[in-house]
Protein backbone atom coordinates (compact mmCIF):
# COMPACT_ATOMS: atom_id res chain seq x y z
CA UNK A 1 0.00 0.00 0.00
CA UNK A 2 0.95 3.63 -0.21
CA UNK A 3 2.91 5.22 2.55
CA UNK A 4 1.65 8.72 3.33
CA UNK A 5 4.41 11.08 4.28
CA UNK A 6 3.65 12.83 7.57
CA UNK A 7 2.74 16.50 7.23
CA UNK A 8 1.43 18.83 9.87
CA UNK A 9 -1.91 19.15 8.15
CA UNK A 10 -5.36 18.25 9.44
CA UNK A 11 -6.36 14.60 9.27
CA UNK A 12 -9.64 15.65 7.71
CA UNK A 13 -7.74 15.16 4.45
CA UNK A 14 -5.37 12.19 4.09
CA UNK A 15 -2.08 12.92 2.31
CA UNK A 16 -0.53 10.45 -0.11
CA UNK A 17 2.79 11.18 -1.85
CA UNK A 18 3.77 9.57 -5.17
CA UNK A 19 1.52 6.49 -5.07
CA UNK A 20 2.99 3.43 -6.77
CA UNK A 21 0.92 3.02 -9.99
CA UNK A 22 1.07 -0.76 -9.64
CA UNK A 23 -0.58 -0.56 -6.21
CA UNK A 24 -3.61 1.38 -7.42
CA UNK A 25 -6.93 -0.48 -7.55
CA UNK A 26 -8.13 -1.95 -10.84
CA UNK A 27 -11.29 0.17 -10.99
CA UNK A 28 -11.96 3.81 -10.14
CA UNK A 29 -14.73 2.70 -7.76
CA UNK A 30 -12.33 0.46 -5.82
CA UNK A 31 -9.69 3.21 -5.88
CA UNK A 32 -12.15 5.52 -4.07
CA UNK A 33 -13.15 2.80 -1.58
CA UNK A 34 -9.46 2.33 -0.72
CA UNK A 35 -8.96 6.08 -0.31
CA UNK A 36 -11.77 5.91 2.24
CA UNK A 37 -12.23 9.68 2.54
CA UNK A 38 -11.03 13.07 1.33
CA UNK A 39 -7.45 12.74 0.09
CA UNK A 40 -4.67 14.91 -1.32
CA UNK A 41 -2.46 12.93 -3.68
CA UNK A 42 0.82 14.74 -4.34
CA UNK A 43 2.74 13.65 -7.43
CA UNK A 44 6.20 15.15 -7.57
CA UNK A 45 7.11 16.77 -10.86
CA UNK A 46 10.31 17.26 -12.85
CA UNK A 47 10.38 20.87 -11.63
CA UNK A 48 9.83 20.67 -7.88
CA UNK A 49 9.80 24.44 -7.47
CA UNK A 50 6.35 24.85 -9.05
CA UNK A 51 2.91 23.46 -8.10
CA UNK A 52 -0.52 23.06 -9.70
CA UNK A 53 -3.75 21.76 -8.18
CA UNK A 54 -6.47 19.53 -9.56
CA UNK A 55 -9.80 19.14 -7.74
CA UNK A 56 -11.94 16.09 -8.51
CA UNK A 57 -15.14 14.76 -6.95
CA UNK A 58 -16.36 18.02 -5.43
CA UNK A 59 -19.72 16.32 -6.01
CA UNK A 60 -20.13 12.59 -5.40
CA UNK A 61 -22.27 11.99 -8.48
CA UNK A 62 -19.69 13.41 -10.91
CA UNK A 63 -17.35 10.58 -11.93
CA UNK A 64 -15.34 12.04 -14.82
CA UNK A 65 -12.76 13.77 -12.60
CA UNK A 66 -11.94 10.81 -10.32
CA UNK A 67 -12.01 8.29 -13.20
CA UNK A 68 -9.62 10.43 -15.24
CA UNK A 69 -7.36 11.12 -12.24
CA UNK A 70 -7.22 7.40 -11.41
CA UNK A 71 -6.36 6.57 -15.04
CA UNK A 72 -3.62 9.20 -15.11
CA UNK A 73 -2.15 8.02 -11.78
CA UNK A 74 -2.13 4.44 -13.09
CA UNK A 75 -0.09 5.60 -16.10
CA UNK A 76 2.78 6.45 -13.77
CA UNK A 77 3.64 9.52 -15.85
CA UNK A 78 5.81 12.17 -14.21
CA UNK A 79 4.25 15.65 -14.45
CA UNK A 80 6.13 18.77 -15.51
CA UNK A 81 5.68 20.34 -12.05
CA UNK A 82 4.39 19.15 -8.68
CA UNK A 83 0.69 18.28 -8.88
CA UNK A 84 -1.73 17.86 -6.01
CA UNK A 85 -4.95 16.02 -6.78
CA UNK A 86 -7.66 16.60 -4.18
CA UNK A 87 -10.24 13.80 -4.24
CA UNK A 88 -13.05 15.16 -2.08
CA UNK A 89 -16.59 13.73 -1.80
CA UNK A 90 -15.39 10.14 -1.46
CA UNK A 91 -18.12 9.37 1.11
CA UNK A 92 -20.94 10.45 -1.22
CA UNK A 93 -19.38 8.78 -4.29
CA UNK A 94 -18.88 5.39 -2.61
CA UNK A 95 -22.35 5.32 -1.04
CA UNK A 96 -24.28 2.59 -2.95
CA UNK A 97 -25.04 2.32 -5.79
CA UNK A 98 -21.95 4.50 -6.44
CA UNK A 99 -21.59 7.95 -8.02
CA UNK A 100 -25.29 8.47 -7.19
CA UNK A 101 -25.22 11.15 -4.47
CA UNK A 102 -24.12 14.75 -4.99
CA UNK A 103 -23.54 14.81 -1.21
CA UNK A 104 -24.65 12.51 1.58
CA UNK A 105 -28.19 13.11 2.90
CA UNK A 106 -28.23 15.81 5.57
CA UNK A 107 -24.93 17.38 4.41
CA UNK A 108 -24.47 20.65 2.58
CA UNK A 109 -23.32 20.84 -1.03
CA UNK A 110 -19.51 20.97 -0.61
CA UNK A 111 -19.11 23.54 -3.39
CA UNK A 112 -21.28 25.99 -1.42
CA UNK A 113 -19.13 25.61 1.74
CA UNK A 114 -16.00 27.64 0.90
CA UNK A 115 -17.25 30.73 2.75
CA UNK A 116 -17.83 30.97 6.54
CA UNK A 117 -19.33 29.62 8.69
CA UNK A 118 -17.17 26.50 8.48
CA UNK A 119 -19.04 24.83 11.33
CA UNK A 120 -20.38 21.58 9.85
CA UNK A 121 -18.57 18.58 8.31
CA UNK A 122 -18.37 19.93 4.77
CA UNK A 123 -17.56 23.44 6.02
CA UNK A 124 -14.59 22.07 7.97
CA UNK A 125 -13.48 20.05 4.94
CA UNK A 126 -13.73 23.13 2.70
CA UNK A 127 -11.66 25.18 5.17
CA UNK A 128 -8.96 22.50 5.26
CA UNK A 129 -8.87 22.33 1.45
CA UNK A 130 -8.47 26.13 1.31
CA UNK A 131 -5.69 25.97 3.91
CA UNK A 132 -3.80 23.35 1.89
CA UNK A 133 -4.26 25.22 -1.41
CA UNK A 134 -2.88 28.40 0.14
CA UNK A 135 0.13 26.81 1.86
CA UNK A 136 2.31 27.09 -1.22
CA UNK A 137 2.29 29.38 -4.30
CA UNK A 138 0.06 27.67 -6.85
CA UNK A 139 0.40 28.28 -10.60
CA UNK A 140 -3.10 27.17 -11.56
CA UNK A 141 -6.09 25.22 -10.29
CA UNK A 142 -8.63 23.14 -12.23
CA UNK A 143 -11.87 21.96 -10.60
CA UNK A 144 -13.49 19.15 -12.65
CA UNK A 145 -17.26 18.58 -12.72
CA UNK A 146 -20.01 16.82 -14.66
CA UNK A 147 -23.60 17.82 -15.21
CA UNK A 148 -26.77 15.83 -15.74
CA UNK A 149 -28.22 17.22 -18.96
CA UNK A 150 -27.02 17.35 -22.56
CA UNK A 151 -24.21 19.93 -22.64
CA UNK A 152 -20.92 20.22 -24.48
CA UNK A 153 -17.83 20.38 -22.29
CA UNK A 154 -17.32 23.99 -21.19
CA UNK A 155 -15.45 26.10 -18.70
CA UNK A 156 -16.52 28.55 -16.01
CA UNK A 157 -14.22 31.33 -14.85
CA UNK A 158 -14.74 34.05 -12.25
CA UNK A 159 -12.49 36.79 -13.67
CA UNK A 160 -11.79 37.57 -17.31
CA UNK A 161 -8.23 36.68 -18.25
CA UNK A 162 -6.29 35.07 -21.07
CA UNK A 163 -4.56 32.80 -18.54
CA UNK A 164 -7.90 31.42 -17.39
CA UNK A 165 -9.27 31.03 -20.91
CA UNK A 166 -6.14 29.09 -21.85
CA UNK A 167 -6.75 26.77 -18.89
CA UNK A 168 -10.30 26.14 -20.13
CA UNK A 169 -8.97 25.42 -23.61
CA UNK A 170 -6.77 22.64 -22.25
CA UNK A 171 -10.12 20.80 -21.95
CA UNK A 172 -12.50 22.30 -24.53
CA UNK A 173 -12.80 24.92 -27.26
CA UNK A 174 -16.60 25.03 -27.18
CA UNK A 175 -17.75 27.56 -24.58
CA UNK A 176 -16.57 29.58 -21.62
CA UNK A 177 -18.79 31.31 -19.08
CA UNK A 178 -17.60 34.32 -17.09
CA UNK A 179 -19.53 34.07 -13.83
CA UNK A 180 -20.09 36.83 -11.28
CA UNK A 181 -22.23 34.68 -8.99
CA UNK A 182 -21.27 34.20 -5.37
CA UNK A 183 -22.60 30.88 -4.15
CA UNK A 184 -19.69 29.81 -1.93
CA UNK A 185 -17.85 27.84 -4.63
CA UNK A 186 -14.11 27.20 -4.36
CA UNK A 187 -13.14 29.01 -7.57
CA UNK A 188 -15.00 32.16 -6.46
CA UNK A 189 -13.19 32.29 -3.13
CA UNK A 190 -9.65 31.92 -4.55
CA UNK A 191 -10.28 34.11 -7.59
CA UNK A 192 -7.83 36.83 -6.52
CA UNK A 193 -5.11 34.37 -5.45
CA UNK A 194 -4.88 31.68 -8.14
CA UNK A 195 -5.56 31.35 -11.85
CA UNK A 196 -8.46 28.92 -11.53
CA UNK A 197 -11.29 27.47 -13.61
CA UNK A 198 -14.10 24.98 -13.24
CA UNK A 199 -14.57 22.54 -16.09
CA UNK A 200 -17.90 20.87 -16.86
CA UNK A 201 -16.78 17.81 -18.83
CA UNK A 202 -20.22 16.70 -20.04
CA UNK A 203 -22.84 14.25 -18.86
CA UNK A 204 -21.91 12.24 -15.78
CA UNK A 205 -22.87 8.96 -17.49
CA UNK A 206 -21.12 9.66 -20.79
CA UNK A 207 -17.76 7.88 -21.18
CA UNK A 208 -16.75 10.65 -23.64
CA UNK A 209 -16.87 13.09 -20.70
CA UNK A 210 -14.32 10.94 -18.83
CA UNK A 211 -12.08 11.10 -21.93
CA UNK A 212 -12.41 14.91 -22.05
CA UNK A 213 -11.30 15.02 -18.42
CA UNK A 214 -8.31 12.73 -18.98
CA UNK A 215 -7.08 14.55 -22.11
CA UNK A 216 -7.36 17.88 -20.30
CA UNK A 217 -5.59 16.60 -17.19
CA UNK A 218 -2.72 15.29 -19.35
CA UNK A 219 -2.33 18.68 -21.01
CA UNK A 220 -2.58 20.43 -17.62
CA UNK A 221 0.13 18.34 -15.96
CA UNK A 222 2.46 17.95 -18.97
CA UNK A 223 2.57 21.54 -20.24
CA UNK A 224 5.81 23.16 -19.13
CA UNK A 225 4.60 26.74 -19.23
CA UNK A 226 0.83 27.22 -19.15
CA UNK A 227 1.18 30.77 -20.49
CA UNK A 228 3.81 30.37 -23.22
CA UNK A 229 3.24 26.80 -24.40
CA UNK A 230 -0.49 27.12 -25.06
CA UNK A 231 -2.40 28.72 -27.94
CA UNK A 232 -5.51 30.83 -27.54
CA UNK A 233 -8.45 29.71 -29.70
CA UNK A 234 -10.68 32.70 -30.49
CA UNK A 235 -13.51 30.52 -31.85
CA UNK A 236 -14.72 29.62 -28.38
CA UNK A 237 -18.24 30.88 -27.55
CA UNK A 238 -18.25 33.35 -24.68
CA UNK A 239 -21.00 34.14 -22.20
CA UNK A 240 -21.27 36.15 -19.02
CA UNK A 241 -23.56 37.26 -16.18
CA UNK A 242 -25.27 33.93 -15.46
CA UNK A 243 -28.66 33.89 -13.80
CA UNK A 244 -29.30 30.83 -11.66
CA UNK A 245 -32.84 29.46 -12.04
CA UNK A 246 -34.19 27.43 -9.15
CA UNK A 247 -37.55 25.83 -8.42
CA UNK A 248 -39.63 27.49 -5.72
CA UNK A 249 -39.30 25.62 -2.42
CA UNK A 250 -42.00 23.00 -1.93
CA UNK A 251 -42.89 22.81 -5.63
CA UNK A 252 -43.46 19.28 -6.91
CA UNK A 253 -41.97 18.60 -10.32
CA UNK A 254 -41.54 15.79 -12.80
CA UNK A 255 -40.15 15.52 -16.31
CA UNK A 256 -42.50 14.11 -18.93
CA UNK A 257 -43.71 14.58 -22.50
CA UNK A 258 -47.20 15.51 -21.32
CA UNK A 259 -48.70 17.31 -18.33
CA UNK A 260 -49.06 15.20 -15.20
CA UNK A 261 -51.89 16.60 -13.01
CA UNK A 262 -50.42 15.00 -9.86
CA UNK A 263 -47.44 17.44 -9.98
CA UNK A 264 -47.39 21.24 -9.64
CA UNK A 265 -45.06 21.54 -12.61
CA UNK A 266 -44.34 19.11 -15.43
CA UNK A 267 -41.23 20.03 -17.40
CA UNK A 268 -40.65 18.62 -20.87
CA UNK A 269 -38.42 15.55 -20.74
CA UNK A 270 -36.26 16.94 -23.54
CA UNK A 271 -35.62 20.46 -22.25
CA UNK A 272 -31.90 19.77 -22.03
CA UNK A 273 -31.88 19.81 -25.86
CA UNK A 274 -32.14 23.60 -25.47
CA UNK A 275 -28.78 23.90 -23.69
CA UNK A 276 -26.48 26.42 -25.39
CA UNK A 277 -29.16 27.30 -27.98
CA UNK A 278 -30.94 30.61 -28.40
CA UNK A 279 -34.64 29.87 -27.99
CA UNK A 280 -37.58 31.45 -29.77
CA UNK A 281 -39.61 33.51 -27.30
CA UNK A 282 -42.71 31.48 -26.51
CA UNK A 283 -40.91 28.14 -26.47
CA UNK A 284 -42.90 25.85 -24.16
CA UNK A 285 -40.81 24.38 -21.33
CA UNK A 286 -43.62 22.62 -19.48
CA UNK A 287 -47.06 22.75 -17.92
CA UNK A 288 -48.18 24.22 -14.61
CA UNK A 289 -51.25 23.21 -12.61
CA UNK A 290 -54.00 25.83 -12.78
CA UNK A 291 -53.87 28.03 -9.67
CA UNK A 292 -50.34 26.95 -8.71
CA UNK A 293 -48.13 29.79 -7.45
CA UNK A 294 -45.27 31.12 -9.61
CA UNK A 295 -42.81 28.21 -9.82
CA UNK A 296 -39.35 29.78 -10.34
CA UNK A 297 -36.75 31.94 -8.63
CA UNK A 298 -34.02 33.37 -10.89
CA UNK A 299 -31.14 35.23 -9.24
CA UNK A 300 -28.17 36.98 -10.78
CA UNK A 301 -25.19 38.37 -8.87
CA UNK A 302 -27.34 41.15 -7.36
CA UNK A 303 -29.68 38.54 -5.79
CA UNK A 304 -32.79 40.12 -7.34
CA UNK A 305 -35.41 37.67 -8.56
CA UNK A 306 -35.75 38.29 -12.30
CA UNK A 307 -37.65 35.13 -13.16
CA UNK A 308 -40.63 37.15 -14.50
CA UNK A 309 -38.33 38.82 -17.05
CA UNK A 310 -37.29 35.52 -18.59
CA UNK A 311 -40.30 33.22 -18.16
CA UNK A 312 -44.07 33.56 -18.31
CA UNK A 313 -47.15 31.42 -17.83
CA UNK A 314 -49.63 31.38 -20.67
CA UNK A 315 -52.58 28.96 -20.91
CA UNK A 316 -51.12 26.95 -18.01
CA UNK A 317 -47.88 26.52 -19.95
CA UNK A 318 -44.48 27.68 -18.71
CA UNK A 319 -42.85 29.54 -21.59
CA UNK A 320 -39.49 31.12 -22.25
CA UNK A 321 -39.54 34.87 -23.02
CA UNK A 322 -35.89 35.93 -23.18
CA UNK A 323 -32.97 36.09 -25.59
CA UNK A 324 -30.69 34.62 -22.96
CA UNK A 325 -29.19 31.19 -23.59
CA UNK A 326 -30.03 28.34 -21.19
CA UNK A 327 -27.19 26.08 -20.08
CA UNK A 328 -26.99 23.15 -17.70
CA UNK A 329 -30.72 22.47 -17.96
CA UNK A 330 -31.20 19.22 -16.14
CA UNK A 331 -33.86 16.56 -16.57
CA UNK A 332 -33.09 15.03 -13.17
CA UNK A 333 -35.73 16.07 -10.61
CA UNK A 334 -33.33 15.53 -7.69
CA UNK A 335 -30.69 17.82 -9.23
CA UNK A 336 -33.40 20.34 -10.14
CA UNK A 337 -34.52 20.45 -6.49
CA UNK A 338 -31.09 20.17 -4.77
CA UNK A 339 -29.12 22.49 -7.05
CA UNK A 340 -30.94 24.35 -9.79
CA UNK A 341 -32.93 23.88 -12.96
CA UNK A 342 -30.54 25.77 -15.24
CA UNK A 343 -28.52 28.94 -15.75
CA UNK A 344 -29.44 31.67 -18.23
CA UNK A 345 -26.45 33.18 -19.99
CA UNK A 346 -25.84 36.51 -21.63
CA UNK A 347 -23.96 36.22 -24.95
CA UNK A 348 -21.02 38.61 -24.75
CA UNK A 349 -17.52 38.53 -26.24
CA UNK A 350 -15.78 39.60 -23.03
CA UNK A 351 -12.47 38.55 -24.55
CA UNK A 352 -12.74 41.48 -26.95
CA UNK A 353 -12.83 43.77 -23.91
CA UNK A 354 -9.41 42.37 -22.98
CA UNK A 355 -7.70 42.06 -26.33
CA UNK A 356 -9.67 44.06 -28.86
CA UNK A 357 -11.88 42.23 -31.39
CA UNK A 358 -9.16 41.19 -33.84
CA UNK A 359 -6.18 40.45 -31.69
CA UNK A 360 -5.84 36.86 -30.52
ZN1 LIG B 1 -20.37 19.59 -9.72
Amino acid sequence: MWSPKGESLSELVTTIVDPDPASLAGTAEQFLIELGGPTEILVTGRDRSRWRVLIVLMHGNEPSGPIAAWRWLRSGARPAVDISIFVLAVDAATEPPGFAHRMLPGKRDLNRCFVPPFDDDNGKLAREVLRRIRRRPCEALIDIHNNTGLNPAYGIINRPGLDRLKLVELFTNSCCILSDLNIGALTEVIVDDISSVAIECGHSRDPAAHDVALAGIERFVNTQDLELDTELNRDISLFDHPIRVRLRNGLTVRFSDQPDPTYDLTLRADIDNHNFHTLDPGTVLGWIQPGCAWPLVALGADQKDVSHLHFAISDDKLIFTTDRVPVMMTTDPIVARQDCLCYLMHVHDWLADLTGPDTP
Side-chain angles (χ1 to χ4, degrees):
M1 276 307 288
W2 313 317
S3 53
K5 213 183 262 180
E7 285 193 62
S8 57
L9 292 163
S10 161
E11 290 175 4
L12 279 177
V13 176
T14 303
T15 307
I16 293 172
V17 180
D18 287 333
D20 174 4
S23 76
L24 295 179
T27 66
E29 290 81 357
Q30 187 61 30
F31 164 68
L32 294 176
I33 289 168
E34 290 182 10
L35 292 183
T39 306
E40 178 183 357
I41 302 172
L42 172 65
V43 183
T44 54
R46 292 187 295 277
D47 179 353
R48 298 264 4 238
S49 71
R50 297 187 290 144
W51 186 52
R52 297 172 196 161
V53 168
L54 195 61
I55 306 283
V56 300
L57 209 59
M58 185 74 85
H59 295 127
N61 59 346
E62 300 179 6
S64 287
I67 288 174
W70 163 77
R71 282 194 206 157
W72 177 71
L73 288 167
R74 296 244 300 173
S75 78
R78 187 126 197 245
V81 303
D82 281 3
I83 302 287
S84 276
I85 305 175
F86 286 86
V87 190
L88 295 179
V90 175
D91 54 356
T94 53
E95 182 74 9
F99 294 127
H101 300 271
R102 185 176 175 88
M103 59 277 192
L104 286 181
K107 293 206 175 180
R108 284 194 297 152
D109 183 328
L110 179 58
N111 210 23
R112 308 290 177 265
C113 292
F114 287 88
V115 288
F118 299 114
D119 51 5
D120 59 354
D121 287 352
N122 275 347
K124 289 172 186 161
L125 173 58
R127 183 174 56 188
E128 174 62 11
V129 170
L130 280 175
R131 205 163 71 86
R132 287 174 177 248
I133 289 171
R134 287 175 168 150
R135 74 187 188 274
R136 178 178 175 187
C138 176
E139 282 192 346
L141 178 144
I142 308 268
D143 178 18
I144 299 186
H145 292 255
N146 289 111
N147 43 54
T148 52
L150 282 176
N151 289 282
Y154 62 94
I156 305 166
I157 66 178
N158 300 92
R159 286 271 190 284
L162 301 185
D163 56 336
R164 293 159 202 264
L165 193 57
K166 282 183 167 186
L167 289 178
V168 169
E169 291 184 351
L170 296 172
F171 289 78
T172 173
N173 289 323
S174 68
C175 315
C176 184
I177 294 167
L178 172 59
S179 171
D180 54 355
L181 296 179
N182 283 299
I183 53 178
L186 170 63
T187 50
E188 297 162 11
V189 173
I190 59 171
V191 66
D192 292 324
D193 310 334
I194 300 171
S195 182
S196 53
V197 305
I199 302 291
E200 296 282 352
C201 291
H203 197 287
S204 56
R205 301 290 170 207
D206 183 358
H210 313 335
D211 295 341
V212 166
L214 178 60
I217 287 173
E218 287 176 339
R219 284 188 278 268
F220 179 61
V221 303
N222 290 334
T223 301
Q224 276 294 336
D225 189 316
L226 292 169
E227 192 67 43
L228 298 177
D229 300 339
T230 48
E231 297 279 327
L232 191 67
N233 183 335
R234 281 293 319 241
D235 294 334
I236 192 166
S237 300
L238 301 174
F239 303 91
D240 65 4
H241 295 306
I243 291 170
R244 187 162 179 257
V245 181
R246 288 189 293 113
L247 301 174
R248 177 174 54 76
N249 283 341
L251 189 88
T252 59
V253 65
R254 74 165 294 196
F255 290 83
S256 176
D257 296 331
Q258 50 197 335
D260 182 336
T262 60
Y263 287 81
D264 296 329
L265 176 65
T266 309
L267 289 163
R268 293 180 59 108
D270 60 355
I271 56 168
D272 56 340
N273 284 326
H274 297 317
N275 283 333
F276 287 97
H277 295 290
T278 305
L279 300 192
D280 294 330
T283 298
V284 175
L285 300 176
W287 303 269
I288 186 115
Q289 281 302 304
C292 183
W294 180 254
L296 303 175
V297 180
L299 304 179
D302 60 5
Q303 295 295 304
K304 288 192 184 126
D305 181 5
V306 290
S307 53
H308 289 273
L309 297 179
H310 303 288
F311 302 91
I313 291 173
S314 172
D315 293 334
D316 299 326
K317 295 188 180 80
L318 178 67
I319 60 172
F320 203 66
T321 59
T322 176
D323 61 356
R324 278 182 168 252
V325 174
V327 308
M328 261 177 98
M329 274 215 183
T330 185
T331 54
D332 181 330
I334 295 173
V335 172
R337 273 196 301 271
Q338 280 186 344
D339 186 22
C340 64
L341 176 64
C342 68
Y343 292 83
L344 300 179
M345 303 305 313
H346 174 239
V347 181
H348 175 217
D349 183 2
W350 45 262
L351 184 57
D353 300 344
L354 293 176
T355 63
D358 299 315
T359 317

